[in-house]
Amino acid sequence: MEILALLIPVSLILGATGLVAFMWSLKSRQYDDPKGDAERILSDEWDDHPRPSPDQNKDP
Amino acid sequence: MADLSADRTYSSRLSACPACDAAPLAMRVADASMKGGDIVLSLPTAHCAACITDVERALNGQPGVRSARVNLSLRRVMIDAPGHEAAEFIPVLEQIGYEAHELDPAALSSTAADRQGRDILMRIGVAGFAMMNIMILSIAVWAGAEGATRDMFHWISAVIALPTVIFAGQPFFASAWRSLKSGRLGMDVPISLALILATAISLFETSQSGKHAYFDAAVMLCFFLLVGRYLDYRTRAVARSAAEELTALEVPRATRLVDGIEEQVNVADLTPGDVIRVRPGARLPADGTVIAGMSEIDRSLLTGESLPVRAGPGAELSAGEVNLTGRLDLRVTAAGRDSSLSRLADLVAMAEATRGHYASLAERASRAYAPVVHLLALLSFAAWMYLSGDWRISLNVAAAVLIITCPCALGLAVPAVVTSASGRLFRKGLLIKDGTALERLAEVDTVVFDKTGTLTLGKPELTNLTDLPEDLRPVAAAIAAGSNHPLSQALSAALRAAGVSEGEIDRTTEIPGYGVEAEWQGRRVRLGRADWVGADAPDADGPVSVLAVEGWSPVVLRFADALRPGATYCIAALTARGTRVIMLSGDTEAAVARAAAELGITDYRAGVTPAEKEAEVASLAQSGAKVLMVGDGLNDTAALARAHVSISPATGLDAARVASDIVLTGQELSPVADALDMAMKARTRIKQNFAISILYNIVAVPFAMVGLATPLLAALAMSASSISVTLNALRLR
């Protein structure tokens, strides 16, 4: 039964990690355009290198 | 230099995990494009990955654009370009083959609405997490954990459940408190009571090392009900955002003349006495008197007349009318809230107030449900007190009754069906704006149609092409192509369809209010009003235009309003179901009779004023008919608001769309008949779902009342009923 002392916290931590991940994805507005995000993965743009941030790409 | 240092800081952060490096960057990019959106364009034709890339690449290549991001779910692109106008970007998109329309960002409140959706989702996530964890612990208890182990599991459950119920149950508590304060017993009162009672008793039992704790039931209740609430919210949000988009399409701007110089102003800033300029094709932003210019005015949306009316200096015009052929300068007599448009809107408000509040099926069910449940719980408590005298057992039984009767199924039944049905109707081209519209639609037995713009497209079509001699057709095509008048455009379209190519003409001039004049092989050609071209006025029952070529006898061209696609099918389908079909129109007797004959409508009235339309709908309602009103114009708005349920096409006036419950997004009228069938099916499903949950209560409540409802039984019964109603709702096709 001592194993419970380990298993219960582990299961709670794993669950909480999932919950935090869900909250983060929600906060960072990842559910705003599900259809667009599904299509964007098919685009070739920024495949080879990450997209520059907007203030970088306008500078000369 | 800045570039280099940026590169260095960037590369120094490179790690083994590329996504970790990209994530903060991606967030910054996403942030930037979210803050933008100074300009919002609607992209109705965008549908794939290539569309996103094309549009974003084209817009990002424009000078002054800081960022552009397409939202494919909403079919919109947000452009962050300070100091630039939307009009600069529309041609850019048109060049690469995308239709774009400017949206008024002020009319789009999607961000506020989104926050509410995210809020519910967050609570669903928390409730789901808690539910799964407590369930794992509960299984151990159900499997037979005893003594200290059981107590420990209960305590851990309590630690998870307590904050969850407090956080996730907030929407229910808030709404229950509101309804209690206003002295009503809504559905949320028994829900909140069950949540609080179940949690409190479980806590107490746990502290007393009791056998049963209902933490899992309380959290599961939260979860299922939140799902129902979210479905409900989604349906409304989709409808609202689409309706907002329709409104936002009309950017309210006017051209004001100050000392002869044009300036663009918001319609809201116009005041009486201002001089405004209205170009051909534009809608009048305010009431006014013409001071210069000559044109023809389309007032079909206001009065239902399909023939354009001539307007010259001194003519009084109303907001909402469309200027057709010539430029007009007007002195504003009434703007904003005082304009005739707004005065008619007040009529709508009055009609809406008299329509009365419709209680939805769910409301009626919950009104009966709440007292019954509370009475049952109280009864069980009293009976157990009397029999055993132990208040702890009695309270436990009463809580079990509350939990087991709790309306998981009832709370899910209606939203699940409405979401499913309105999603299907949306794909067919119907947008349900009001949650109860579907239920009201199912009761309809009489349909009242407006003619111009609803059953017909409000666009004329040439009816006597054969009267036009072969030799004159190329001239007619050429001269008609040079004018924006609806009759000229109809003639042009008919000749194009007949394969006629344009002849060569010179010196085309349009005389607003009269017609077009040109020269062909040295002869004068005129297309327009009979008295102007020098012909006898023909006795016409519809719009006519006369083509006069020197040396030929004048040709009278007759036009008729084209029927909306699907109108014939729609009327036939409605008649076949046994629905009474009535047509009320503000147009002339002859035009209405012809359209009625074509569509097979026997019940019609012509020359009806807006007030008469409303009175007619009201008298039909008084005689017990459930009226569906379909109309597009300002002359229909009062009747739309008065009817049991109303539909207006997206091409209609803003006021009409606001007054109606359902908007027809496409050109086709046929979805109207289908919607009635879909509504009937949806109502059947809702009733079936009610039957399922009542049946389940009849089985489960006696168990709870005699004290046999263990937490395991409650959990099983609750999830079984919730899942069965959801599956039943998905069966809807």
Side-chain angles (χ1 to χ4, degrees):
Chain A
M1 281 311 241
E2 294 79 46
I3 192 70
L4 279 181
L6 189 68
L7 281 183
I8 290 175
V10 164
S11 84
L12 286 181
I13 288 166
L14 282 178
T17 314
L19 183 65
V20 169
F22 172 71
M23 284 175 159
W24 173 78
S25 67
L26 204 61
K27 277 251 161 72
S28 59
R29 299 194 170 211
Q30 296 194 15
Y31 301 96
D32 275 10
D33 182 17
K35 216 173 144 203
D37 293 336
E39 296 284 349
R40 262 172 214 277
I41 197 158
L42 299 174
S43 143
D44 298 337
E45 283 215 343
W46 320 120
D47 266 1
D48 302 325
H49 50 88
R51 180 179 183 170
S53 76
D55 33 280
Q56 270 175 325
N57 72 2
K58 288 290 164 188
D59 279 340
Chain B
M1 196 58 210
D3 224 0
L4 266 176
S5 62
D7 256 343
R8 203 161 40 237
T9 50
Y10 180 60
S11 55
S12 66
R13 281 195 290 105
L14 270 186
S15 66
C17 154
C20 306
D21 283 316
L25 207 62
M27 279 172 76
R28 225 161 59 223
V29 173
D31 263 355
S33 54
M34 254 149 29
K35 272 198 288 296
D38 301 317
I39 299 171
V40 187
L41 299 179
S42 155
L43 289 173
T45 55
H47 65 277
C48 63
C51 308
I52 299 179
T53 326
D54 285 355
V55 169
E56 287 183 356
R57 193 177 293 157
L59 288 174
N60 280 321
Q62 292 294 307
V65 175
R66 283 220 296 244
S67 78
R69 190 174 171 91
V70 174
N71 186 325
L72 200 61
S73 308
L74 295 170
R75 304 231 157 132
R76 281 181 204 156
V77 57
M78 282 82 155
I79 308 169
D80 180 16
H84 290 260
E85 293 278 331
E88 298 170 37
F89 302 117
I90 292 173
V92 175
L93 293 178
E94 257 158 25
Q95 218 167 26
I96 57 166
Y98 291 97
E99 186 188 338
H101 306 283
E102 182 181 2
L103 293 175
D104 182 7
L108 300 168
S109 62
S110 52
T111 42
D114 261 338
R115 198 174 308 133
Q116 206 190 335
R118 276 206 302 274
D119 184 64
I120 305 179
L121 265 182
M122 183 81 85
R123 290 178 209 276
I124 291 178
V126 171
F129 157 79
M131 180 178 81
M132 287 188 280
N133 280 290
I134 296 175
M135 207 64 93
I136 292 173
L137 299 167
S138 299
I139 287 171
V141 176
W142 299 335
E146 287 291 334
T149 324
R150 184 185 62 204
D151 282 353
M152 184 184 73
F153 285 163
H154 277 167
W155 274 119
I156 299 172
S157 301
V159 169
I160 305 172
L162 206 60
T164 306
V165 169
I166 291 172
F167 175 69
Q170 265 171 26
F172 307 112
F173 301 149
S175 141
W177 179 242
R178 267 200 305 279
S179 61
L180 277 181
K181 261 205 304 202
S182 59
R184 287 180 298 111
L185 262 189
M187 183 81 97
D188 288 327
V189 177
I191 291 173
S192 303
L193 196 66
L195 282 178
I196 294 170
L197 208 58
T199 320
I201 285 183
S202 303
L203 261 178
F204 178 73
E205 284 290 316
T206 305
S207 70
Q208 302 289 310
S209 304
K211 240 181 119 192
H212 296 316
Y214 292 97
F215 291 119
D216 55 335
V219 174
M220 188 160 45
L221 196 62
C222 260
F223 178 76
F224 279 124
L225 288 170
L226 281 170
V227 169
R229 192 104 352 158
Y230 184 68
L231 284 178
D232 199 38
Y233 165 78
R234 278 306 307 164
T235 324
R236 277 162 216 238
V238 166
R240 196 180 41 239
S241 87
E244 269 174 7
E245 180 154 329
L246 286 174
T247 311
L249 271 175
E250 287 168 19
V251 179
R253 285 221 188 101
T255 311
R256 181 162 63 185
L257 288 181
V258 179
D259 303 326
I261 297 159
E262 292 184 10
E263 61 174 25
Q264 294 288 322
V265 292
N266 282 332
V267 168
D269 297 338
L270 287 178
T271 50
D274 282 349
V275 177
I276 51 170
R277 176 161 287 176
V278 184
R279 295 211 152 68
R283 187 164 282 170
L284 266 60
D287 293 0
T289 315
V290 179
I291 51 174
M294 191 76 188
S295 179
E296 273 157 304
I297 296 294
D298 175 3
R299 42 174 57 147
S300 60
L301 279 177
L302 273 86
T303 62
E305 294 166 69
S306 51
L307 274 174
V309 183
R310 245 199 316 176
E316 300 277 348
L317 302 179
S318 306
E321 296 176 341
V322 180
N323 181 14
L324 289 176
T325 44
R327 199 176 70 183
L328 288 177
D329 289 350
L330 290 102
R331 185 171 303 283
V332 176
T333 52
R337 301 255 5 121
D338 303 323
S339 70
S340 50
L341 213 91
S342 297
R343 283 204 304 279
L344 265 150
D346 294 344
L347 202 65
V348 172
M350 268 167 60
E352 260 175 353
T354 49
R355 175 157 75 181
H357 187 66
Y358 177 84
S360 69
L361 281 171
E363 261 173 73
R364 274 179 279 170
S366 75
R367 226 178 267 165
Y369 171 90
V372 169
V373 168
H374 290 154
L375 211 67
L376 276 178
L378 200 69
L379 222 84
S380 342
F381 180 75
W384 275 86
M385 265 315 261
Y386 178 74
L387 287 176
S388 66
D390 186 343
W391 65 270
R392 189 173 147 195
I393 297 178
S394 310
L395 206 59
N396 249 309
V397 170
V401 171
L402 270 181
I403 293 169
I404 243 175
T405 54
C406 222
C408 288
L410 227 48
L412 270 174
V414 180
V417 173
V418 171
T419 309
S420 165
S422 58
R424 275 175 214 289
L425 286 177
F426 188 67
R427 279 193 288 280
K428 284 189 179 184
L430 275 172
L431 176 70
I432 313 277
K433 272 174 57 195
D434 187 301
T436 62
L438 211 59
E439 288 171 28
R440 283 182 273 139
L441 201 58
E443 298 170 355
V444 164
D445 54 17
T446 308
V447 186
V448 176
F449 283 102
D450 164 52
K451 185 183 76 77
T452 317
T454 307
L455 283 173
T456 67
L457 284 171
K459 264 195 220 154
E461 211 171 56
L462 184 67
T463 52
N464 62 338
L465 182 64
T466 43
D467 288 0
L468 191 65
E470 289 281 346
D471 302 345
L472 290 184
R473 287 187 186 185
V475 201
I479 196 165
S483 166
N484 271 327
H485 193 279
L487 296 188
S488 300
Q489 296 210 319
L491 174 60
S492 177
L495 288 170
R496 247 201 324 274
V500 177
S501 54
E502 288 176 24
E504 285 203 13
I505 53 169
D506 304 314
R507 282 189 235 163
T508 313
T509 42
E510 181 156 16
I511 295 118
Y514 293 96
V516 202
E517 190 180 72
E519 210 163 87
W520 172 61
Q521 293 173 359
R523 300 162 199 247
R524 196 181 69 178
V525 185
R526 274 181 168 188
L527 174 69
R529 303 172 65 87
D531 46 357
W532 178 67
V533 303
D536 294 332
D539 51 333
D541 57 352
V544 286
S545 189
V546 182
L547 178 72
V549 183
E550 258 183 317
W552 299 71
S553 54
V555 186
V556 179
L557 299 164
R558 291 169 197 280
F559 298 86
D561 204 351
L563 291 181
R564 192 177 271 273
T568 323
Y569 163 82
C570 178
I571 302 293
L574 287 174
T575 319
R577 309 172 72 237
T579 314
R580 189 173 165 207
V581 178
I582 304 170
M583 180 159 82
L584 297 178
S585 174
D587 208 354
T588 56
E589 176 75 30
V592 177
R594 194 179 38 226
E598 254 181 277
L599 288 163
I601 299 176
T602 47
D603 206 349
Y604 64 86
R605 278 179 61 195
V608 190
T609 65
E612 282 172 352
K613 275 196 187 187
E614 194 217 327
E616 183 80 10
V617 170
S619 81
L620 278 170
Q622 220 139 49
S623 66
K626 300 285 186 195
V627 181
L628 162 65
M629 172 80 202
V630 191
D632 74 320
L634 209 52
N635 56 336
D636 305 313
T637 42
L640 285 169
R642 171 77 73 168
H644 192 52
V645 56
S646 45
I647 301 182
S648 70
T651 48
L653 206 64
D654 196 21
R657 291 198 307 258
V658 170
S660 55
D661 306 300
I662 301 170
V663 174
L664 204 59
T665 53
Q667 283 269 315
E668 284 267 334
L669 199 63
S670 50
V672 172
D674 300 340
L676 289 181
D677 290 333
M678 178 61 84
M680 300 273 270
K681 277 188 213 155
R683 190 175 57 168
T684 316
R685 285 279 175 271
I686 291 177
K687 287 189 169 163
Q688 275 176 3
N689 277 349
F690 283 166
I692 291 175
S693 50
I694 289 171
L695 196 74
Y696 139 85
N697 274 339
I698 289 174
V699 175
V701 169
F703 273 96
M705 287 181 79
V706 297
L708 289 175
T710 57
L712 172 62
L713 200 70
L716 280 178
M718 216 150 41
S719 35
S721 73
S722 293
I723 291 167
S724 58
V725 294
T726 313
L727 288 180
N728 191 40
L730 291 177
R731 226 153 51 87
L732 188 75
R733 321 199 155 255

